[in-house]
Amino acid sequence: MKFNTKTIHGGQHNVDPAYGSVMPPIYQTSTYSQSTPGGHKGFEYSRSGNPTRAALERAFASLESGEYGLAFGSGLAAIDAVIKLLNPGDEVISTNDLYGGSYRLFTKIFEGFGIKFHFIGMEEASNIENFVTEKTKLIWVETPTNPMMNVIDIKAASEIAKKHNLLLAVDNTFATPYLQRPLELGADIVMHSATKYLGGHSDVVMGALVVKDKDLAERLYFIQNASGAVCGPQDSFLMLRGLKTLHVRMQRHCENGKKIAEYLLGHPKIEKVYWPGFESHPNHKIAKSQMKDFGGMISFVTKGNNYDEAIRIVENLKVFTLAESLGGVESLAGHPASMTHASIPKEEREKTGVVDSLIRLSVGIEDADDLIEDLKQAIG
Ligand SMILES: *Cc1c(COP(=O)(O)O)cnc(C)c1O
């Protein structure tokens, strides 16, 4: 089945044996009757399993070319489950330009449990090997990165993981399986903040994991059930509804993203535009080889790097909404230095490029002309 058919039908056979409804029913129930102790029809308690969630988990697995999907109450709950595969003393090699919440989970929660994280630049994947020790268990890759839009070679990272018998997990939130499928490139675990593009309508917070290996799936399922950070049936239904248009939305996000990146590049007040579709992007070749297109996430800095000017621009936007998050049908703008990355000390954030005038756009699927007009009036 091709990807654009999978978004609609993947894993969705016989979702309603009772009446044949086309969409899976919302099984808004915590428990299921049993004819005799243990005598149930596949579900006994909704933390352990729910038919609506199960339909969604099959859809996730299908989209990411995996065998097993797991849905969680948020992207961070999904990441939390992955790190719980580890034990005190284990080490993780992680991308340095990382989603802030992942960094906070790793350093403020899991370092306290004795897990060590190395945050490193991975634009040269061979650098990963410099940090492998006997204690390394996991490589955590996020690509493209947030907000600097660096691209990491997943295949090269997977070769290093295989050589040293490590797990490779990829946060595929920015790219989505429409643009890149890490399991096909050798990753062991693919993770999503489904809150973003997969849901696509800014109305659900949810996380997902997909794997191929049965043993790994069983270990993660054990954690999902034992720790209990599952999503509810209503949210599972909304996510299934969102997924059906993923390919159509992504195609438009990419088209609009290209137009806006090109517009910004030609603007006299703009110093630099970060978007992997430009040939001048340092990782453009890898992006081109592992991604179908370049997406709708763009960051840019204005000339003079003035903090107040950046604030003025994001305040003046009218079609773009000033808000955290990304990946919805509506365009959003954010100012990382004062919003998502405010908790990182100025010198630290500037080392990775998050300077005062950096603005991040999540380009939606509105008419590109209106988005360009809006940027024009806001930048001035
Ligand atoms: C939003 C996000 C997360 C966290 O997901 P939540 O659903 O907000 O918990 C993780 N990684 C990336 C890249 C994100 O954008």
Side-chain angles (χ1 to χ4, degrees), residues 46-50 52-58 60-61 68-85 105 110 140 169-170 173 189-196 198-199 203-211 216-240 243:
S46 280
R47 170 166 31 74
S48 314
N50 172 283
T52 317
R53 194 178 92 215
L56 173 63
E57 291 177 328
R58 292 194 304 269
F60 283 148
Y68 306 93
L70 297 136
F72 293 84
S74 70
L76 283 170
I79 302 174
D80 180 87
V82 174
I83 308 302
K84 283 176 177 162
L85 292 166
L105 177 66
F110 283 111
W140 185 270
V170 177
T173 301
I189 302 173
V190 57
M191 173 264 151
H192 279 277
S193 169
T195 313
K196 316 294 169 50
L198 296 189
D203 52 8
V204 178
V205 173
M206 190 183 286
L209 298 177
V210 178
V211 303
L216 184 57
E218 279 169 2
R219 285 162 66 204
L220 287 167
Y221 172 71
F222 182 86
I223 295 167
Q224 183 196 38
N225 184 46
S227 287
V230 295
C231 54
Q234 180 91 33
D235 283 355
S236 300
F237 175 86
L238 282 171
M239 187 58 56
L240 276 162
L243 284 182

Side-chain angles (χ1 to χ4, degrees), residues 1-306:
M1 208 188 273
K2 296 239 169 79
F3 186 82
N4 293 355
T5 309
K6 279 186 181 177
T7 58
I8 295 161
H9 298 290
Q12 301 309 295
H13 47 277
N14 197 24
V15 289
D16 176 20
Y19 299 110
S21 69
V22 170
M23 279 300 281
I26 304 170
Y27 284 94
Q28 193 72 46
T29 185
S30 59
T31 191
Y32 308 81
S33 71
Q34 307 192 5
S35 54
T36 181
H40 55 75
K41 295 177 176 158
F43 296 94
E44 47 193 331
Y45 185 63
S46 280
R47 170 166 31 74
S48 314
N50 172 283
T52 317
R53 194 178 92 215
L56 173 63
E57 291 177 328
R58 292 194 304 269
F60 283 148
S62 162
L63 287 179
E64 281 290 3
S65 302
E67 295 293 330
Y68 306 93
L70 297 136
F72 293 84
S74 70
L76 283 170
I79 302 174
D80 180 87
V82 174
I83 308 302
K84 283 176 177 162
L85 292 166
L86 308 180
N87 291 305
D90 288 349
E91 295 187 9
V92 179
I93 303 171
S94 167
T95 306
N96 58 356
D97 180 23
L98 190 68
Y99 176 70
S102 310
Y103 181 80
R104 180 177 57 197
L105 177 66
F106 293 169
T107 55
K108 297 283 200 283
I109 305 279
F110 283 111
E111 277 184 356
F113 292 163
I115 294 167
K116 187 168 175 191
F117 294 84
H118 300 272
F119 297 97
I120 67 160
M122 294 184 173
E123 293 81 67
E124 286 298 332
S126 57
N127 188 34
I128 297 170
E129 207 152 24
N130 298 331
F131 293 84
V132 175
T133 74
E134 292 127 59
K135 294 178 178 164
T136 312
K137 292 284 154 57
L138 173 72
I139 301 173
W140 185 270
V141 166
E142 186 178 315
T143 181
T145 65
N146 173 31
M148 299 316 299
M149 308 304 298
N150 294 317
V151 174
I152 296 161
D153 187 339
I154 297 171
K155 202 153 174 239
S158 91
E159 276 156 18
I160 294 167
K162 287 196 170 58
K163 181 170 157 200
H164 297 279
N165 203 18
L166 313 173
L167 284 173
L168 172 64
V170 177
D171 182 338
N172 203 27
T173 301
F174 269 38
T176 83
Y178 175 83
L179 294 180
Q180 97 193 347
R181 289 185 289 280
L183 298 181
E184 291 177 7
L185 299 168
D188 302 289
I189 302 173
V190 57
M191 173 264 151
H192 279 277
S193 169
T195 313
K196 316 294 169 50
Y197 285 106
L198 296 189
H201 295 74
S202 308
D203 52 8
V204 178
V205 173
M206 190 183 286
L209 298 177
V210 178
V211 303
K212 278 186 172 166
D213 180 73
K214 185 160 189 272
D215 174 60
L216 184 57
E218 279 169 2
R219 285 162 66 204
L220 287 167
Y221 172 71
F222 182 86
I223 295 167
Q224 183 196 38
N225 184 46
S227 287
V230 295
C231 54
Q234 180 91 33
D235 283 355
S236 300
F237 175 86
L238 282 171
M239 187 58 56
L240 276 162
R241 170 201 257 247
L243 284 182
K244 288 183 191 283
T245 54
L246 177 67
H247 54 304
V248 189
R249 289 185 282 112
M250 285 308 294
Q251 188 181 348
R252 182 64 72 84
H253 282 297
C254 292
E255 286 167 16
N256 283 358
K258 181 171 196 287
K259 286 180 189 164
I260 285 171
E262 282 167 357
Y263 167 73
L264 292 170
L265 192 66
H267 196 292
K269 284 197 181 166
I270 288 173
E271 172 83 38
K272 199 160 170 39
V273 183
Y274 299 92
W275 182 65
F278 289 134
E279 269 176 39
S280 59
H281 184 288
N283 320 120
H284 177 72
K285 259 177 76 183
I286 296 162
K288 211 169 163 190
S289 71
Q290 74 184 15
M291 297 169 75
K292 179 186 166 77
D293 205 335
F294 304 107
M297 295 302 300
I298 303 167
S299 295
F300 67 95
V301 293
T302 47
K303 285 186 180 149
N305 190 28
N306 185 306

